[in-house]
Amino acid sequence: GAVVSQHPSRVICKSGTSVKIECRSLDFQATTMFWYRQFPKQSLMLMATSNEGSKATYEQGVEKDKFLINHASLTLSTLTVTSAHPEDSSFYICSASPGQGNNSPLHFGNGTRLTVT
Amino acid sequence: AQSVTQLGSHVSVSEGALVLLRCNYSSSVPPYLFWYVQYPNQGLQLLLKYTTGATLVKGINGFEAEFKKSETSFHLTKPSAHMSDAAEYFCAVSGGYQKVTFGTGTKLQVIP
């Protein structure tokens, strides 16, 4: 089946530093990947849609300058949290689909637990 | 526009008992519906999906769900709960462009 790999699984960083999270589709190509954020005891909220070879599309309220997304190849998208603050601490999950249709289910990475101290 | 409502943030069942997790949706276009499961500190795993055709869909681990358009529901069931089913379950709807809206999740507890 379609596999999405996310790295790292956990990261602790100091306030003011930047953190990069990678999302890879291991056995399929993904022109589009999605980044979600999940706060404790809450659902997943879509942050942005990552498009290969073009700029990401951000959801309302998400700071594009703070959450930098790069989708340089058909199998890799990266999310960089710049100048991280404690309120950025969260669980970040990426997803992708091997299909193009609207009914193609998303496959998710295992997520990255970010803790900003 | 689309939305998902999951009734009950926590559900407890005894091992061997029926599991019923409720999901209602709204969508301005014919929906695609999904159930995902999330184990602690992990990503989401697809349990099953409804796109078109048969309204009763079977998924992994013995789960199934029935799409009822008249009730705008897509409830998840399993005849007999197992301890390993303890996790958080998310219902999701997609109306287009793979943009998926998730419900708030239901945490399933299985009591031995």
Side-chain angles (χ1 to χ4, degrees), chain B residues 64-85:
Chain B
E64 62 181 38
E66 186 171 10
F67 170 61
K68 291 187 176 180
K69 184 178 179 180
S70 61
E71 298 177 9
T72 60
S73 69
F74 191 58
H75 302 330
L76 181 71
T77 60
K78 182 175 180 177
S80 177
H82 191 273
M83 294 300 293
S84 61
D85 295 327

Side-chain angles (χ1 to χ4, degrees), chain A residues 10 34 36 38 43-44 46 59 91 97 99 101-106 108-110 113, chain B residues 32 34 36 38 41-44 46 49 51 90 94 96-100 102-104:
Chain A
R10 292 176 181 272
F34 302 88
Y36 290 84
Q38 185 179 32
S43 188
L44 288 80
L46 179 65
E59 296 300 302
F91 193 54
S97 173
N102 296 329
N103 62 347
S104 297
L106 295 174
F108 288 81
N110 279 334
R113 173 75 61 192
Chain B
Y32 299 105
F34 311 88
Y36 287 88
Q38 184 181 33
N41 290 312
Q42 292 190 26
L44 277 70
L46 179 68
K49 66 173 181 175
T51 55
F90 291 92
S94 172
Y97 306 107
Q98 297 179 324
K99 289 187 91 171
V100 178
F102 289 87
T104 51

Side-chain angles (χ1 to χ4, degrees), chain A residues 2 4 28-34 95-101 104-107, chain B residues 98:
Chain A
V4 175
F28 65 97
Q29 293 183 332
T31 55
T32 304
M33 291 184 175
F34 302 88
S95 68
S97 173
Q100 295 296 317
S104 297
L106 295 174
H107 296 268
Chain B
Q98 297 179 324

Side-chain angles (χ1 to χ4, degrees), chain A residues 30 65 88-89 113:
Chain A
D65 293 331
D88 298 324
S89 298
R113 173 75 61 192

Side-chain angles (χ1 to χ4, degrees), chain A:
Chain A
V3 178
V4 175
S5 174
Q6 194 171 334
H7 179 80
S9 58
R10 292 176 181 272
V11 59
I12 300 173
C13 71
K14 292 185 177 181
S15 186
T17 61
S18 296
V19 173
K20 179 183 285 188
I21 303 170
E22 293 187 347
C23 179
R24 295 181 185 272
S25 55
L26 296 187
D27 51 0
F28 65 97
Q29 293 183 332
T31 55
T32 304
M33 291 184 175
F34 302 88
W35 287 96
Y36 290 84
R37 181 174 182 176
Q38 185 179 32
F39 289 102
K41 301 182 180 180
Q42 294 187 29
S43 188
L44 288 80
M45 299 300 295
L46 179 65
M47 297 176 65
T49 303
S50 172
N51 304 298
E52 188 269 335
S54 65
K55 290 183 178 181
T57 304
Y58 290 82
E59 296 300 302
Q60 190 173 10
V62 178
E63 299 176 61
K64 60 181 66 175
D65 293 331
K66 180 167 188 61
F67 299 99
L68 300 180
I69 292 173
N70 183 279
H71 195 153
S73 77
L74 288 171
T75 60
L76 174 64
S77 175
T78 61
L79 169 68
T80 301
V81 183
T82 62
S83 186
H85 291 288
E87 57 265 31
D88 298 324
S89 298
S90 189
F91 193 54
Y92 294 86
I93 309 177
C94 70
S95 68
S97 173
Q100 295 296 317
N102 296 329
N103 62 347
S104 297
L106 295 174
H107 296 268
F108 288 81
N110 279 334
T112 297
R113 173 75 61 192
L114 170 63
T115 303
V116 183
T117 60

